[in-house]
Amino acid sequence: MFNWAKQQLANVAGTQEPIYGPTAIKTVAQEAKETGTPYTELTRADHKWLAMDSTCVENQVFYIFAEDGTIALCQVIYSNVAGLKVTCQFNTKIFSRDPAKPHLWCSNPLSNVGFSEDKTSFYADDCAVELSEDGNSYTIKSMNDERALVNVKITKTAPGFHAGKTGTSLYGTDLKNPWGSMRHAFWPRCAAEGTITTKDGPVDLKGKAIYIYALQGMKPHHAAARWNFANFQGPNHTAIMMEFVTPPSYGNTTVNVGALVKDGELIGVSTENNKATHKATKKDTTSDWPEPTQVQFDWSVTSKDGKPVTATIDAALGERVDRVDVMAEVPGFVKTIVAAAAGTKPYIYQYAPKATLKLKVGDEEISEDGQLFTEATFISDLAASG
């Protein structure tokens, strides 16, 4: 009962949770194993906004890799703090290819938020993210910041999916009535077209893209302490990985979803035997976090015809393209959510090196060069504090 009371306080005030252990999370890997369903291709219903009336952060993010080398992102974030305050934000980022020039970062609060009747499209004043009638493309339009006028279309060129049957990990001491959740859904390989118009003129975004939906149905720093994200886009192959590690409250449990794509087909999706490794690190004197300098991503999936498929990227990261101090740069609601949390110090490290994907399909070995975009996020220590 005391733990329950502490958990309720943590829900409202953002304080540290008690130690429940790994039995208080049912990962999407467990769901996939129990149901015998490694992944499920998305239907229209899987694209709905939930707009929960309890604490959550729900977002859609589109990472775009233009043919000329430009990397950009567009993102809508819906957040609810303890059922008391709902805020929405539209973010645009264009990574500068000139080290002497800052990135273009625009983050704007949204007003008069609404959804389509089936909740698959998002609307606000001067902003819309719409799913097409056939469910194969999103159009993103925003005029809420004159520094970045967005008119972009993202069309999936391979099936969208989530892991298991629901794409969801559940948190709580009674997992039939969970108090928290984490869900991800992906369009791993997409075509991008359109522009973001800046003060210097339109930026042509024709190229490749990835779309990710994420729902953290609880305070983000209670759901995860660390994140690794990898997205490789090559001429013929895509490899993506989303990995998080829970805080000690949930046993430092690792949850990893990895997928491999060839052209328009999903080779396979797995929640087991994928791994993100920081092979070398250096201490970031600003944050004290161990910033990665060399990474390795390993995938292990089974193809539709039953063949084992493995893949590896081993890459030196070079200079990071950005370090995001989450408490300084993201919308105020995150500060509200984490303000009272002991030991919470969220930083996101972003890198965009060229890399080589090495695949082994049965006895066949394939090597492909392409663009890697990867993020390492540190939120809190993995050791329980006394």
PDB file of all heavy atoms in Angstrom, residues 151-186:
ATOM      1  N   ASN A 151       5.498  22.575 -46.105  1.00  0.00           N
ATOM      2  CA  ASN A 151       4.547  21.968 -47.048  1.00  0.00           C
ATOM      3  C   ASN A 151       5.204  20.689 -47.577  1.00  0.00           C
ATOM      4  O   ASN A 151       5.923  20.712 -48.576  1.00  0.00           O
ATOM      5  CB  ASN A 151       4.216  22.934 -48.180  1.00  0.00           C
ATOM      6  CG  ASN A 151       3.131  22.386 -49.092  1.00  0.00           C
ATOM      7  OD1 ASN A 151       2.563  21.321 -48.849  1.00  0.00           O
ATOM      8  ND2 ASN A 151       2.835  23.100 -50.168  1.00  0.00           N
ATOM      9  N   VAL A 152       4.964  19.584 -46.873  1.00  0.00           N
ATOM     10  CA  VAL A 152       5.696  18.342 -47.119  1.00  0.00           C
ATOM     11  C   VAL A 152       4.720  17.180 -47.220  1.00  0.00           C
ATOM     12  O   VAL A 152       3.695  17.147 -46.531  1.00  0.00           O
ATOM     13  CB  VAL A 152       6.711  18.086 -45.979  1.00  0.00           C
ATOM     14  CG1 VAL A 152       7.323  16.706 -46.089  1.00  0.00           C
ATOM     15  CG2 VAL A 152       7.806  19.147 -45.985  1.00  0.00           C
ATOM     16  N   LYS A 153       5.043  16.231 -48.076  1.00  0.00           N
ATOM     17  CA  LYS A 153       4.262  14.997 -48.192  1.00  0.00           C
ATOM     18  C   LYS A 153       5.186  13.803 -47.982  1.00  0.00           C
ATOM     19  O   LYS A 153       6.268  13.744 -48.582  1.00  0.00           O
ATOM     20  CB  LYS A 153       3.586  14.902 -49.557  1.00  0.00           C
ATOM     21  CG  LYS A 153       2.691  13.665 -49.727  1.00  0.00           C
ATOM     22  CD  LYS A 153       2.015  13.661 -51.099  1.00  0.00           C
ATOM     23  CE  LYS A 153       1.111  12.456 -51.283  1.00  0.00           C
ATOM     24  NZ  LYS A 153       0.464  12.443 -52.618  1.00  0.00           N
ATOM     25  N   ILE A 154       4.778  12.893 -47.122  1.00  0.00           N
ATOM     26  CA  ILE A 154       5.534  11.677 -46.828  1.00  0.00           C
ATOM     27  C   ILE A 154       4.694  10.476 -47.259  1.00  0.00           C
ATOM     28  O   ILE A 154       3.584  10.283 -46.758  1.00  0.00           O
ATOM     29  CB  ILE A 154       5.863  11.571 -45.322  1.00  0.00           C
ATOM     30  CG1 ILE A 154       6.581  12.829 -44.821  1.00  0.00           C
ATOM     31  CG2 ILE A 154       6.652  10.307 -45.028  1.00  0.00           C
ATOM     32  CD1 ILE A 154       7.937  13.057 -45.416  1.00  0.00           C
ATOM     33  N   THR A 155       5.210   9.679 -48.192  1.00  0.00           N
ATOM     34  CA  THR A 155       4.477   8.530 -48.726  1.00  0.00           C
ATOM     35  C   THR A 155       5.229   7.255 -48.385  1.00  0.00           C
ATOM     36  O   THR A 155       6.428   7.135 -48.693  1.00  0.00           O
ATOM     37  CB  THR A 155       4.326   8.642 -50.248  1.00  0.00           C
ATOM     38  OG1 THR A 155       3.658   9.874 -50.566  1.00  0.00           O
ATOM     39  CG2 THR A 155       3.518   7.477 -50.801  1.00  0.00           C
ATOM     40  N   LYS A 156       4.553   6.313 -47.749  1.00  0.00           N
ATOM     41  CA  LYS A 156       5.256   5.078 -47.381  1.00  0.00           C
ATOM     42  C   LYS A 156       5.509   4.244 -48.633  1.00  0.00           C
ATOM     43  O   LYS A 156       4.652   4.123 -49.512  1.00  0.00           O
ATOM     44  CB  LYS A 156       4.486   4.292 -46.331  1.00  0.00           C
ATOM     45  CG  LYS A 156       3.150   3.725 -46.741  1.00  0.00           C
ATOM     46  CD  LYS A 156       2.515   2.974 -45.562  1.00  0.00           C
ATOM     47  CE  LYS A 156       1.136   2.454 -45.939  1.00  0.00           C
ATOM     48  NZ  LYS A 156       0.437   1.811 -44.817  1.00  0.00           N
ATOM     49  N   THR A 157       6.713   3.679 -48.695  1.00  0.00           N
ATOM     50  CA  THR A 157       7.087   2.827 -49.825  1.00  0.00           C
ATOM     51  C   THR A 157       7.328   1.394 -49.371  1.00  0.00           C
ATOM     52  O   THR A 157       7.712   0.540 -50.176  1.00  0.00           O
ATOM     53  CB  THR A 157       8.340   3.376 -50.537  1.00  0.00           C
ATOM     54  OG1 THR A 157       9.407   3.507 -49.575  1.00  0.00           O
ATOM     55  CG2 THR A 157       8.052   4.743 -51.140  1.00  0.00           C
ATOM     56  N   ALA A 158       7.140   1.140 -48.093  1.00  0.00           N
ATOM     57  CA  ALA A 158       7.167  -0.211 -47.515  1.00  0.00           C
ATOM     58  C   ALA A 158       6.110  -0.231 -46.428  1.00  0.00           C
ATOM     59  O   ALA A 158       5.712   0.834 -45.908  1.00  0.00           O
ATOM     60  CB  ALA A 158       8.548  -0.534 -46.940  1.00  0.00           C
ATOM     61  N   PRO A 159       5.616  -1.399 -46.042  1.00  0.00           N
ATOM     62  CA  PRO A 159       4.521  -1.443 -45.061  1.00  0.00           C
ATOM     63  C   PRO A 159       4.881  -0.800 -43.729  1.00  0.00           C
ATOM     64  O   PRO A 159       6.022  -0.885 -43.262  1.00  0.00           O
ATOM     65  CB  PRO A 159       4.285  -2.948 -44.878  1.00  0.00           C
ATOM     66  CG  PRO A 159       4.782  -3.570 -46.138  1.00  0.00           C
ATOM     67  CD  PRO A 159       5.949  -2.729 -46.564  1.00  0.00           C
ATOM     68  N   GLY A 160       3.881  -0.147 -43.121  1.00  0.00           N
ATOM     69  CA  GLY A 160       4.025   0.325 -41.752  1.00  0.00           C
ATOM     70  C   GLY A 160       3.766  -0.828 -40.792  1.00  0.00           C
ATOM     71  O   GLY A 160       3.056  -1.777 -41.120  1.00  0.00           O
ATOM     72  N   PHE A 161       4.328  -0.739 -39.581  1.00  0.00           N
ATOM     73  CA  PHE A 161       4.178  -1.840 -38.632  1.00  0.00           C
ATOM     74  C   PHE A 161       4.305  -1.359 -37.200  1.00  0.00           C
ATOM     75  O   PHE A 161       4.824  -0.277 -36.933  1.00  0.00           O
ATOM     76  CB  PHE A 161       5.248  -2.916 -38.885  1.00  0.00           C
ATOM     77  CG  PHE A 161       6.631  -2.507 -38.416  1.00  0.00           C
ATOM     78  CD1 PHE A 161       7.076  -2.797 -37.132  1.00  0.00           C
ATOM     79  CD2 PHE A 161       7.468  -1.779 -39.248  1.00  0.00           C
ATOM     80  CE1 PHE A 161       8.325  -2.392 -36.689  1.00  0.00           C
ATOM     81  CE2 PHE A 161       8.725  -1.368 -38.816  1.00  0.00           C
ATOM     82  CZ  PHE A 161       9.153  -1.681 -37.540  1.00  0.00           C
ATOM     83  N   HIS A 162       3.820  -2.146 -36.283  1.00  0.00           N
ATOM     84  CA  HIS A 162       4.265  -2.074 -34.905  1.00  0.00           C
ATOM     85  C   HIS A 162       4.617  -3.479 -34.436  1.00  0.00           C
ATOM     86  O   HIS A 162       4.176  -4.472 -35.015  1.00  0.00           O
ATOM     87  CB  HIS A 162       3.256  -1.383 -33.969  1.00  0.00           C
ATOM     88  CG  HIS A 162       1.884  -1.977 -33.950  1.00  0.00           C
ATOM     89  ND1 HIS A 162       0.740  -1.225 -33.812  1.00  0.00           N
ATOM     90  CD2 HIS A 162       1.431  -3.271 -34.035  1.00  0.00           C
ATOM     91  CE1 HIS A 162      -0.324  -2.020 -33.804  1.00  0.00           C
ATOM     92  NE2 HIS A 162       0.076  -3.261 -33.934  1.00  0.00           N
ATOM     93  N   ALA A 163       5.442  -3.571 -33.411  1.00  0.00           N
ATOM     94  CA  ALA A 163       5.875  -4.872 -32.919  1.00  0.00           C
ATOM     95  C   ALA A 163       4.728  -5.564 -32.198  1.00  0.00           C
ATOM     96  O   ALA A 163       3.838  -4.909 -31.639  1.00  0.00           O
ATOM     97  CB  ALA A 163       7.070  -4.712 -31.986  1.00  0.00           C
ATOM     98  N   GLY A 164       4.763  -6.903 -32.190  1.00  0.00           N
ATOM     99  CA  GLY A 164       3.722  -7.661 -31.513  1.00  0.00           C
ATOM    100  C   GLY A 164       2.361  -7.403 -32.120  1.00  0.00           C
ATOM    101  O   GLY A 164       2.235  -7.098 -33.306  1.00  0.00           O
ATOM    102  N   LYS A 165       1.326  -7.501 -31.276  1.00  0.00           N
ATOM    103  CA  LYS A 165      -0.035  -7.232 -31.753  1.00  0.00           C
ATOM    104  C   LYS A 165      -0.433  -5.774 -31.595  1.00  0.00           C
ATOM    105  O   LYS A 165      -1.265  -5.264 -32.333  1.00  0.00           O
ATOM    106  CB  LYS A 165      -1.026  -8.126 -30.992  1.00  0.00           C
ATOM    107  CG  LYS A 165      -1.069  -9.551 -31.518  1.00  0.00           C
ATOM    108  CD  LYS A 165      -2.396 -10.224 -31.205  1.00  0.00           C
ATOM    109  CE  LYS A 165      -2.592 -11.447 -32.079  1.00  0.00           C
ATOM    110  NZ  LYS A 165      -3.879 -12.115 -31.844  1.00  0.00           N
ATOM    111  N   THR A 166       0.157  -5.085 -30.597  1.00  0.00           N
ATOM    112  CA  THR A 166      -0.267  -3.716 -30.311  1.00  0.00           C
ATOM    113  C   THR A 166       0.869  -2.705 -30.334  1.00  0.00           C
ATOM    114  O   THR A 166       0.610  -1.500 -30.284  1.00  0.00           O
ATOM    115  CB  THR A 166      -0.932  -3.631 -28.921  1.00  0.00           C
ATOM    116  OG1 THR A 166       0.064  -3.890 -27.907  1.00  0.00           O
ATOM    117  CG2 THR A 166      -2.069  -4.639 -28.790  1.00  0.00           C
ATOM    118  N   GLY A 167       2.128  -3.172 -30.382  1.00  0.00           N
ATOM    119  CA  GLY A 167       3.260  -2.250 -30.330  1.00  0.00           C
ATOM    120  C   GLY A 167       3.495  -1.636 -28.978  1.00  0.00           C
ATOM    121  O   GLY A 167       4.240  -0.661 -28.857  1.00  0.00           O
ATOM    122  N   THR A 168       2.903  -2.211 -27.926  1.00  0.00           N
ATOM    123  CA  THR A 168       2.824  -1.531 -26.628  1.00  0.00           C
ATOM    124  C   THR A 168       3.473  -2.330 -25.507  1.00  0.00           C
ATOM    125  O   THR A 168       3.262  -3.539 -25.395  1.00  0.00           O
ATOM    126  CB  THR A 168       1.355  -1.263 -26.259  1.00  0.00           C
ATOM    127  OG1 THR A 168       0.743  -0.517 -27.325  1.00  0.00           O
ATOM    128  CG2 THR A 168       1.237  -0.468 -24.971  1.00  0.00           C
ATOM    129  N   SER A 169       4.251  -1.641 -24.681  1.00  0.00           N
ATOM    130  CA  SER A 169       4.734  -2.170 -23.413  1.00  0.00           C
ATOM    131  C   SER A 169       3.898  -1.564 -22.295  1.00  0.00           C
ATOM    132  O   SER A 169       3.529  -0.377 -22.358  1.00  0.00           O
ATOM    133  CB  SER A 169       6.210  -1.825 -23.193  1.00  0.00           C
ATOM    134  OG  SER A 169       7.022  -2.423 -24.191  1.00  0.00           O
ATOM    135  N   LEU A 170       3.583  -2.361 -21.275  1.00  0.00           N
ATOM    136  CA  LEU A 170       2.702  -1.937 -20.183  1.00  0.00           C
ATOM    137  C   LEU A 170       3.473  -1.879 -18.863  1.00  0.00           C
ATOM    138  O   LEU A 170       4.340  -2.724 -18.598  1.00  0.00           O
ATOM    139  CB  LEU A 170       1.528  -2.913 -20.044  1.00  0.00           C
ATOM    140  CG  LEU A 170       0.656  -3.107 -21.284  1.00  0.00           C
ATOM    141  CD1 LEU A 170      -0.378  -4.193 -21.032  1.00  0.00           C
ATOM    142  CD2 LEU A 170      -0.021  -1.798 -21.684  1.00  0.00           C
ATOM    143  N   TYR A 171       3.111  -0.902 -18.028  1.00  0.00           N
ATOM    144  CA  TYR A 171       3.761  -0.708 -16.735  1.00  0.00           C
ATOM    145  C   TYR A 171       2.726  -0.800 -15.615  1.00  0.00           C
ATOM    146  O   TYR A 171       1.628  -0.247 -15.741  1.00  0.00           O
ATOM    147  CB  TYR A 171       4.399   0.687 -16.654  1.00  0.00           C
ATOM    148  CG  TYR A 171       5.519   0.957 -17.628  1.00  0.00           C
ATOM    149  CD1 TYR A 171       5.274   1.133 -18.992  1.00  0.00           C
ATOM    150  CD2 TYR A 171       6.834   1.085 -17.184  1.00  0.00           C
ATOM    151  CE1 TYR A 171       6.308   1.416 -19.880  1.00  0.00           C
ATOM    152  CE2 TYR A 171       7.875   1.378 -18.062  1.00  0.00           C
ATOM    153  CZ  TYR A 171       7.601   1.536 -19.407  1.00  0.00           C
ATOM    154  OH  TYR A 171       8.627   1.831 -20.282  1.00  0.00           O
ATOM    155  N   GLY A 172       3.101  -1.457 -14.518  1.00  0.00           N
ATOM    156  CA  GLY A 172       2.227  -1.495 -13.348  1.00  0.00           C
ATOM    157  C   GLY A 172       2.392  -2.781 -12.564  1.00  0.00           C
ATOM    158  O   GLY A 172       2.861  -3.790 -13.100  1.00  0.00           O
ATOM    159  N   THR A 173       2.009  -2.765 -11.315  1.00  0.00           N
ATOM    160  CA  THR A 173       2.097  -3.982 -10.498  1.00  0.00           C
ATOM    161  C   THR A 173       0.933  -4.921 -10.778  1.00  0.00           C
ATOM    162  O   THR A 173       0.992  -6.099 -10.446  1.00  0.00           O
ATOM    163  CB  THR A 173       2.132  -3.612  -8.999  1.00  0.00           C
ATOM    164  OG1 THR A 173       1.081  -2.685  -8.724  1.00  0.00           O
ATOM    165  CG2 THR A 173       3.463  -2.970  -8.635  1.00  0.00           C
ATOM    166  N   ASP A 174      -0.138  -4.409 -11.384  1.00  0.00           N
ATOM    167  CA  ASP A 174      -1.234  -5.244 -11.884  1.00  0.00           C
ATOM    168  C   ASP A 174      -1.322  -4.970 -13.381  1.00  0.00           C
ATOM    169  O   ASP A 174      -1.944  -4.005 -13.813  1.00  0.00           O
ATOM    170  CB  ASP A 174      -2.547  -4.901 -11.181  1.00  0.00           C
ATOM    171  CG  ASP A 174      -3.741  -5.675 -11.751  1.00  0.00           C
ATOM    172  OD1 ASP A 174      -3.512  -6.554 -12.626  1.00  0.00           O
ATOM    173  OD2 ASP A 174      -4.883  -5.395 -11.347  1.00  0.00           O
ATOM    174  N   LEU A 175      -0.695  -5.838 -14.180  1.00  0.00           N
ATOM    175  CA  LEU A 175      -0.567  -5.562 -15.616  1.00  0.00           C
ATOM    176  C   LEU A 175      -1.874  -5.736 -16.378  1.00  0.00           C
ATOM    177  O   LEU A 175      -1.951  -5.391 -17.556  1.00  0.00           O
ATOM    178  CB  LEU A 175       0.540  -6.430 -16.210  1.00  0.00           C
ATOM    179  CG  LEU A 175       1.947  -6.000 -15.736  1.00  0.00           C
ATOM    180  CD1 LEU A 175       2.986  -7.064 -16.073  1.00  0.00           C
ATOM    181  CD2 LEU A 175       2.336  -4.662 -16.348  1.00  0.00           C
ATOM    182  N   LYS A 176      -2.905  -6.264 -15.717  1.00  0.00           N
ATOM    183  CA  LYS A 176      -4.236  -6.268 -16.328  1.00  0.00           C
ATOM    184  C   LYS A 176      -4.888  -4.893 -16.195  1.00  0.00           C
ATOM    185  O   LYS A 176      -5.831  -4.571 -16.911  1.00  0.00           O
ATOM    186  CB  LYS A 176      -5.110  -7.339 -15.679  1.00  0.00           C
ATOM    187  CG  LYS A 176      -4.656  -8.754 -16.014  1.00  0.00           C
ATOM    188  CD  LYS A 176      -5.565  -9.798 -15.398  1.00  0.00           C
ATOM    189  CE  LYS A 176      -5.082 -11.202 -15.754  1.00  0.00           C
ATOM    190  NZ  LYS A 176      -5.913 -12.252 -15.082  1.00  0.00           N
ATOM    191  N   ASN A 177      -4.375  -4.101 -15.266  1.00  0.00           N
ATOM    192  CA  ASN A 177      -4.829  -2.712 -15.087  1.00  0.00           C
ATOM    193  C   ASN A 177      -3.602  -1.816 -14.986  1.00  0.00           C
ATOM    194  O   ASN A 177      -3.291  -1.275 -13.919  1.00  0.00           O
ATOM    195  CB  ASN A 177      -5.692  -2.593 -13.822  1.00  0.00           C
ATOM    196  CG  ASN A 177      -6.947  -3.437 -13.909  1.00  0.00           C
ATOM    197  OD1 ASN A 177      -7.879  -3.095 -14.624  1.00  0.00           O
ATOM    198  ND2 ASN A 177      -6.954  -4.554 -13.182  1.00  0.00           N
ATOM    199  N   PRO A 178      -2.855  -1.665 -16.076  1.00  0.00           N
ATOM    200  CA  PRO A 178      -1.581  -0.948 -16.021  1.00  0.00           C
ATOM    201  C   PRO A 178      -1.766   0.532 -15.723  1.00  0.00           C
ATOM    202  O   PRO A 178      -2.781   1.123 -16.068  1.00  0.00           O
ATOM    203  CB  PRO A 178      -1.003  -1.161 -17.420  1.00  0.00           C
ATOM    204  CG  PRO A 178      -2.195  -1.391 -18.288  1.00  0.00           C
ATOM    205  CD  PRO A 178      -3.187  -2.126 -17.436  1.00  0.00           C
ATOM    206  N   TRP A 179      -0.755   1.113 -15.087  1.00  0.00           N
ATOM    207  CA  TRP A 179      -0.811   2.560 -14.827  1.00  0.00           C
ATOM    208  C   TRP A 179      -0.003   3.357 -15.854  1.00  0.00           C
ATOM    209  O   TRP A 179      -0.006   4.581 -15.841  1.00  0.00           O
ATOM    210  CB  TRP A 179      -0.362   2.896 -13.421  1.00  0.00           C
ATOM    211  CG  TRP A 179       1.054   2.504 -13.036  1.00  0.00           C
ATOM    212  CD1 TRP A 179       2.214   2.755 -13.715  1.00  0.00           C
ATOM    213  CD2 TRP A 179       1.437   1.805 -11.850  1.00  0.00           C
ATOM    214  NE1 TRP A 179       3.297   2.259 -13.043  1.00  0.00           N
ATOM    215  CE2 TRP A 179       2.866   1.675 -11.875  1.00  0.00           C
ATOM    216  CE3 TRP A 179       0.747   1.289 -10.756  1.00  0.00           C
ATOM    217  CZ2 TRP A 179       3.581   1.049 -10.855  1.00  0.00           C
ATOM    218  CZ3 TRP A 179       1.473   0.670  -9.744  1.00  0.00           C
ATOM    219  CH2 TRP A 179       2.865   0.550  -9.801  1.00  0.00           C
ATOM    220  N   GLY A 180       0.708   2.661 -16.752  1.00  0.00           N
ATOM    221  CA  GLY A 180       1.478   3.368 -17.761  1.00  0.00           C
ATOM    222  C   GLY A 180       1.684   2.504 -18.988  1.00  0.00           C
ATOM    223  O   GLY A 180       1.439   1.289 -18.971  1.00  0.00           O
ATOM    224  N   SER A 181       2.131   3.123 -20.082  1.00  0.00           N
ATOM    225  CA  SER A 181       2.347   2.382 -21.324  1.00  0.00           C
ATOM    226  C   SER A 181       3.350   3.108 -22.203  1.00  0.00           C
ATOM    227  O   SER A 181       3.627   4.302 -22.019  1.00  0.00           O
ATOM    228  CB  SER A 181       1.029   2.218 -22.089  1.00  0.00           C
ATOM    229  OG  SER A 181       0.519   3.496 -22.469  1.00  0.00           O
ATOM    230  N   MET A 182       3.887   2.364 -23.161  1.00  0.00           N
ATOM    231  CA  MET A 182       4.776   2.916 -24.183  1.00  0.00           C
ATOM    232  C   MET A 182       4.449   2.217 -25.493  1.00  0.00           C
ATOM    233  O   MET A 182       4.459   0.979 -25.567  1.00  0.00           O
ATOM    234  CB  MET A 182       6.234   2.646 -23.815  1.00  0.00           C
ATOM    235  CG  MET A 182       7.228   3.149 -24.832  1.00  0.00           C
ATOM    236  SD  MET A 182       7.680   4.860 -24.574  1.00  0.00           S
ATOM    237  CE  MET A 182       8.873   4.659 -23.240  1.00  0.00           C
ATOM    238  N   ARG A 183       4.123   2.997 -26.528  1.00  0.00           N
ATOM    239  CA  ARG A 183       3.805   2.393 -27.829  1.00  0.00           C
ATOM    240  C   ARG A 183       4.573   3.096 -28.936  1.00  0.00           C
ATOM    241  O   ARG A 183       4.724   4.321 -28.914  1.00  0.00           O
ATOM    242  CB  ARG A 183       2.301   2.489 -28.130  1.00  0.00           C
ATOM    243  CG  ARG A 183       1.948   1.962 -29.533  1.00  0.00           C
ATOM    244  CD  ARG A 183       0.471   1.987 -29.872  1.00  0.00           C
ATOM    245  NE  ARG A 183       0.267   1.440 -31.215  1.00  0.00           N
ATOM    246  CZ  ARG A 183      -0.077   2.160 -32.284  1.00  0.00           C
ATOM    247  NH1 ARG A 183      -0.294   3.459 -32.173  1.00  0.00           N
ATOM    248  NH2 ARG A 183      -0.222   1.583 -33.454  1.00  0.00           N
ATOM    249  N   HIS A 184       5.051   2.305 -29.890  1.00  0.00           N
ATOM    250  CA  HIS A 184       5.682   2.845 -31.086  1.00  0.00           C
ATOM    251  C   HIS A 184       5.088   2.191 -32.327  1.00  0.00           C
ATOM    252  O   HIS A 184       4.779   1.000 -32.311  1.00  0.00           O
ATOM    253  CB  HIS A 184       7.197   2.592 -31.078  1.00  0.00           C
ATOM    254  CG  HIS A 184       7.945   3.430 -30.102  1.00  0.00           C
ATOM    255  ND1 HIS A 184       8.296   2.982 -28.851  1.00  0.00           N
ATOM    256  CD2 HIS A 184       8.402   4.706 -30.184  1.00  0.00           C
ATOM    257  CE1 HIS A 184       8.941   3.938 -28.212  1.00  0.00           C
ATOM    258  NE2 HIS A 184       9.017   4.994 -28.999  1.00  0.00           N
ATOM    259  N   ALA A 185       4.948   2.984 -33.380  1.00  0.00           N
ATOM    260  CA  ALA A 185       4.544   2.477 -34.689  1.00  0.00           C
ATOM    261  C   ALA A 185       5.417   3.177 -35.729  1.00  0.00           C
ATOM    262  O   ALA A 185       5.810   4.334 -35.547  1.00  0.00           O
ATOM    263  CB  ALA A 185       3.068   2.740 -34.959  1.00  0.00           C
ATOM    264  N   PHE A 186       5.702   2.474 -36.817  1.00  0.00           N
ATOM    265  CA  PHE A 186       6.707   2.951 -37.768  1.00  0.00           C
ATOM    266  C   PHE A 186       6.242   2.829 -39.217  1.00  0.00           C
ATOM    267  O   PHE A 186       5.585   1.862 -39.583  1.00  0.00           O
ATOM    268  CB  PHE A 186       7.997   2.119 -37.644  1.00  0.00           C
ATOM    269  CG  PHE A 186       8.575   2.047 -36.265  1.00  0.00           C
ATOM    270  CD1 PHE A 186       8.170   1.065 -35.378  1.00  0.00           C
ATOM    271  CD2 PHE A 186       9.546   2.949 -35.840  1.00  0.00           C
ATOM    272  CE1 PHE A 186       8.705   0.968 -34.100  1.00  0.00           C
ATOM    273  CE2 PHE A 186      10.081   2.877 -34.565  1.00  0.00           C
ATOM    274  CZ  PHE A 186       9.668   1.875 -33.701  1.00  0.00           C
TER     275      PHE A 186
END
